């Protein structure tokens, strides 16, 4: 069939083939607290050696360890699908029949898959399924009876990871010699080979499941100091604790208070700065810490679960908790904790912050209940309705600022992004805190409405919830968007790992130079002249990212 005779539906849609595997739909109600129920695998360069445009079953060579690795996934109850770009079909390099013979050979060598999803197009078709578009991931999830967020995709190039992220799935990059360095830098999760990718998927899956679910406790004290974003990403773990405790008291810092008010499962909040956590700490005040210790003692907690980020220490607080008489303390600590901690948990670097926290909750015997997905969520009754100035839903929120200037979008670039989005037909709302009004005014002057300083965090949550997409750096509102399930164009400065801090389980496109010199510095202000990690973003990339994430056009007027 010539290309111009192809059915127009076929020109836009993925081809779906049943595999020789179990091919079934998942349970209507997924089991409690499980992160993934399906693994999607790229074909060429991931499962089998890449032989360009191969139509010959005799040339199929599995990568080392593939069969055993896939069998470990099958044994763990995970469904498997192949998601593959095969533009050789569009170009006539091989026939569909030849391709099916190749797939039969793959299944002969590697065992059955539950489904095969093939994009038969090339880039010029502008289809919705050719990776990095998310179409194959969405179709695979549907075929497997699950959601994209409950899938993890393994691939060997940046397109694979980008397709996963754009659908809200997790993406693991297993580089080969042809993988470009910038693709490796941009990936939030990199594994050395297919077997180690599989091992880490299974490890993360197990890590959020308690060895045994503990007795329901009376009062649990949970702790998450630091800023709004930190508190929001700890939300799933706090809900897990809440499912196993009659009362949850959250100790947070002043910068996280507004976010703490938004979290489901929290019965009471104690606000106090912790000088060993705050980035610009006041001197230690012994009287204040004595006062805090007394307040913590008055909570009467049966247990404390101390959540921290990977660079923070739980031990100073654990000492205060001991002095407050708390007899069971769980915390992540690489440093030797002596008798300060009863449940000492350790987590490898690179795990998403929400899962890192969930794994500590699991170590303490807590997990999310059935029906509570491991996603960020906010209390419905705490999110304020969007302000009237926002107009109808479907706009694009552009949030240029960040408490850490190293993670903020340069004002001049944000203005060009506002102009480009407006020119593409989007209604743009520019948001920011009261101290960012100069910036939001300048950005909105280039295109859009200025809502800078008009909302508190609860109001911003309401505004974000009705957006078609949010364009934002690595800062609190990205997590508000994730909590509302609103797609994120992430202008992500690589000062901290994307795999830990990227928007969690929500369709995302990552932009910016992931290999810039600020990478992994944790700098609060950019250490490199010109802020090169973000200043090189082309506003046209942002427009294209919104198109990828919101194919229906969303806020197009
Ligand atoms: Zn396609």
């Amino acid at each position: 069939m010539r290309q111009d005779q192809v059915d127009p539906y076929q020109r836009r849609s993925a081809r779906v083939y049943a595999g020789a595997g179990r091919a079934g739909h998942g349970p209507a109600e997924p089991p409690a607290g499980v992160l993934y129920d399906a693994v999607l695998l790229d074909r060429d360069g991931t499962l089998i050696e890449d032989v360009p445009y191969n139509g010959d079953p005799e040339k199929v060579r599995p990568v080392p360890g593939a069969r055993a690795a896939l069998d470990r996934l099958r044994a763990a109850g995970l469904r498997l699908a192949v998601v593959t770009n095969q533009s050789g079909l569009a170009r006539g390099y091989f026939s569909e029949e030849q391709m099916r013979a190749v797939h039969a050979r793959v299944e002969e060598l590697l065992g059955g898959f539950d489904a095969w999803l093939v994009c038969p197009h090339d880039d010029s078709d502008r289809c919705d399924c050719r990776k990095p578009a998310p179409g194959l991931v969405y179709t695979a999830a549907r075929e497997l009876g699950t959601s994209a967020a409950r899938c993890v995709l393994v691939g060997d190039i940046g397109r694979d990871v980008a397709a996963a992220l754009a659908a809200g799935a997790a993406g693991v990059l297993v580089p080969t010699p042809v993988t470009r360095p910038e693709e490796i830098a941009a990936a939030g999760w990199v594994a050395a080979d297919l077997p180690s990718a599989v091992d880490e998927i299974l490890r993360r899956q197990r890590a959020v499941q308690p060895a045994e679910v503990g007795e329901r406790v009376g009062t649990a004290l949970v702790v998450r100091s630091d800023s709004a974003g930190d508190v929001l990403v700890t939300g799933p773990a706090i809900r897990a604790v809440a499912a196993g405790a009659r009362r949850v008291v959250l100790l947070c810092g002043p910068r996280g208070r507004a976010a703490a008010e938004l979290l489901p499962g929290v019965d009471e909040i104690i606000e106090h700065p912790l000088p060993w956590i705050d980035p610009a700490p006041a001197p230690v005040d012994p009287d204040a810490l004595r006062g805090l210790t007394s307040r913590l003692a008055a909570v009467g907690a049966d247990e404390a679960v101390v959540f921290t980020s990977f660079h923070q220490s739980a031990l100073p607080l654990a000492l205060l908790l001991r002095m407050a008489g708390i007899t069971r303390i769980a915390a992540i600590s690489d440093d030797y904790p002596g008798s300060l901690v009863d449940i000492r948990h350790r987590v490898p670097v690179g795990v998403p912050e929400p899962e890192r926290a969930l794994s500590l909750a699991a170590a303490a015997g807590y997990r999310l209940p059935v029906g509570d997905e491991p996603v960020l969520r906010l209390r419905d009754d705490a999110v304020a309705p969007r302000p009237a100035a926002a107009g109808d839903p479907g706009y694009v929120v552009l949030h240029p600022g960040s408490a850490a200037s190293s993670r903020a979008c340069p004002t001049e670039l944000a203005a060009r992004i506002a102009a480009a989005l407006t020119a593409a037909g989007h209604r743009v709302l520019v948001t920011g805190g009261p101290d960012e009004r100069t910036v939001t005014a300048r950005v909105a002057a280039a295109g859009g409405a200025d809502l800078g300083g008009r909302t508190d965090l609860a109001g911003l949550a309401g505004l974000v919830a009705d957006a078609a997409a949010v364009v934002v750096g690595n800062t609190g509102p990205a997590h508000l968007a994730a909590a509302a399930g609103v797609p994120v164009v992430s202008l992500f400065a690589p000062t901290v790992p994307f795999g830990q801090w990227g928007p969690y389980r929500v369709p995302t496109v990552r932009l910016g130079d992931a290999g810039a010199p600020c990478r992994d510095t944790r700098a609060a202000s950019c250490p490199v002249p010109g802020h090169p990690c973000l200043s090189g973003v082309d506003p046209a990339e942002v427009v294209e990212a919104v198109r990828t994430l919101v194919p229906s056009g969303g806020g197009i007027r």
Side-chain angles (χ1 to χ4, degrees):
M1 199 190 310
R2 285 186 9 238
Q3 183 64 24
D4 59 0
Q5 293 171 320
V6 171
D7 165 353
Y9 176 77
Q10 294 256 313
R11 191 171 296 162
R12 295 281 294 170
S13 302
R15 298 199 189 160
V16 181
Y17 306 89
R22 293 149 297 167
H25 288 261
E29 183 103 74
V34 166
L35 294 177
Y36 306 119
D37 43 30
V39 180
L40 315 182
L41 299 125
D42 171 55
R43 194 191 84 176
D44 302 320
T46 301
L47 286 176
I48 59 175
E49 285 171 16
D50 189 11
V51 178
Y53 306 115
N54 181 26
D56 180 359
E58 293 305 311
K59 291 186 182 159
V60 171
R61 298 275 178 275
V63 302
R67 175 69 199 238
L70 295 173
D71 284 345
R72 288 201 291 282
L73 295 173
R74 294 180 180 111
L78 287 152
R79 275 158 281 155
L80 305 180
V82 180
V83 289
T84 178
N85 285 352
Q86 293 297 335
S87 64
L89 281 175
R91 298 173 197 186
Y93 294 162
F94 51 81
S95 68
E96 179 156 349
E97 199 176 358
Q98 287 172 308
M99 184 185 73
R100 295 184 78 139
V102 167
H103 292 178
R105 178 64 177 153
V106 172
E107 291 199 316
E108 196 180 314
L109 293 167
L110 295 181
F113 294 89
D114 295 296
W116 288 77
L117 294 306
V118 177
C119 167
H121 312 109
D122 64 20
D123 282 332
S124 65
D125 289 319
R126 302 277 290 170
C127 66
D128 300 322
C129 48
R130 182 166 168 79
K131 294 175 286 184
L136 283 185
V137 179
Y138 283 125
T139 309
R142 201 163 54 238
E143 285 298 311
L144 298 174
T146 186
S147 65
R150 297 176 71 86
C151 293
V152 51
L153 186 154
V154 185
D156 66 321
I157 58 173
R159 277 176 180 260
D160 296 309
V161 174
L165 263 48
V172 192
L173 184 72
V174 178
T176 70
V178 305
T179 311
R180 299 200 310 268
E182 58 270 29
E183 296 176 327
I184 300 172
W189 182 353
V190 179
D193 51 30
L194 180 61
S196 43
V198 162
D199 290 343
E200 179 62 8
I201 290 167
L202 294 171
R203 193 201 63 76
R204 291 189 187 187
Q205 179 90 312
R206 279 192 304 270
V208 300
Q209 289 292 339
E212 58 185 304
V213 177
E215 288 279 293
R216 196 172 166 89
V217 303
T219 296
L221 175 69
V222 294
V223 182
R224 187 62 161 105
S225 201
D226 226 331
S227 62
D230 303 273
V231 170
L232 292 173
V233 298
T234 311
I238 292 173
R239 299 200 310 270
V241 173
R246 272 182 279 282
R247 172 172 167 251
V248 172
V249 178
L250 169 62
L251 170 64
C252 69
R255 293 175 309 128
R257 174 65 187 247
E261 306 273 2
L262 299 177
L263 290 186
V266 176
D267 298 300
E268 191 183 325
I269 297 171
I270 297 175
E271 177 188 322
H272 202 284
L274 301 181
W276 54 92
I277 299 284
D278 287 339
V284 170
D285 175 349
D287 285 337
L289 292 183
R290 275 184 211 105
L292 173 61
T293 307
S294 305
R295 273 183 86 186
L296 295 172
V299 168
D302 301 289
E303 174 165 37
V305 185
V306 183
F307 297 104
T308 45
S309 189
F310 68 105
H311 59 286
Q312 298 168 343
S313 173
L315 298 184
L317 185 70
L319 177 60
L320 297 195
L321 293 170
R322 281 289 191 239
M323 293 172 73
I326 295 174
T327 54
R328 201 170 110 100
I329 300 173
I332 297 172
S333 188
D334 284 327
D335 293 327
Y336 173 64
S339 57
L340 292 182
V341 168
D342 304 287
I343 298 161
R344 179 199 190 181
H345 184 56
R346 302 179 88 162
V347 185
V349 292
V351 175
E353 288 284 318
E355 289 175 26
R356 187 173 192 278
L358 275 168
S359 75
L360 173 60
Y366 301 100
R367 71 171 171 207
L368 286 169
V370 169
D372 191 356
E373 286 282 303
V375 294
L376 307 194
R377 282 204 294 119
L378 305 180
R379 283 172 44 178
D380 292 338
D381 62 342
V383 173
R386 69 176 186 282
D392 292 333
Y395 40 79
V396 173
V397 167
L398 172 58
H399 189 96
S402 167
S405 64
S406 59
R407 296 188 262 122
C409 178
T411 305
E412 178 272 340
L413 171 62
R416 287 191 293 126
I417 290 171
L421 285 168
T422 302
H426 295 284
R427 192 155 50 86
V428 177
L429 304 184
V430 184
T431 57
D435 53 341
E436 294 168 341
R437 296 185 74 155
T438 318
V439 169
T440 59
R442 278 180 58 195
V443 173
D450 178 14
L451 294 182
R454 298 278 289 274
T455 54
D456 57 11
L457 195 72
L460 186 57
L463 191 67
V464 160
D466 285 330
V470 176
V471 182
V472 62
N474 174 26
T475 186
H479 305 301
L480 292 179
V486 171
V488 179
V489 179
S490 177
L491 307 173
F492 195 95
T495 53
V496 293
F498 182 78
Q500 289 178 228
W501 287 101
Y504 187 62
R505 288 196 168 211
V506 69
T508 300
V509 172
R510 178 188 187 170
L511 297 177
D513 178 1
C518 63
R519 185 177 173 94
D520 295 337
T521 58
R522 286 196 278 118
S525 57
C526 184
V528 190
H531 201 9
C533 64
L534 294 182
S535 59
V537 169
D538 181 347
E541 292 179 279
V542 176
V543 174
E544 179 63 18
V546 172
R547 196 194 72 83
T548 298
L549 294 170
V550 192
S552 62
I556 298 269
R557 286 173 298 206

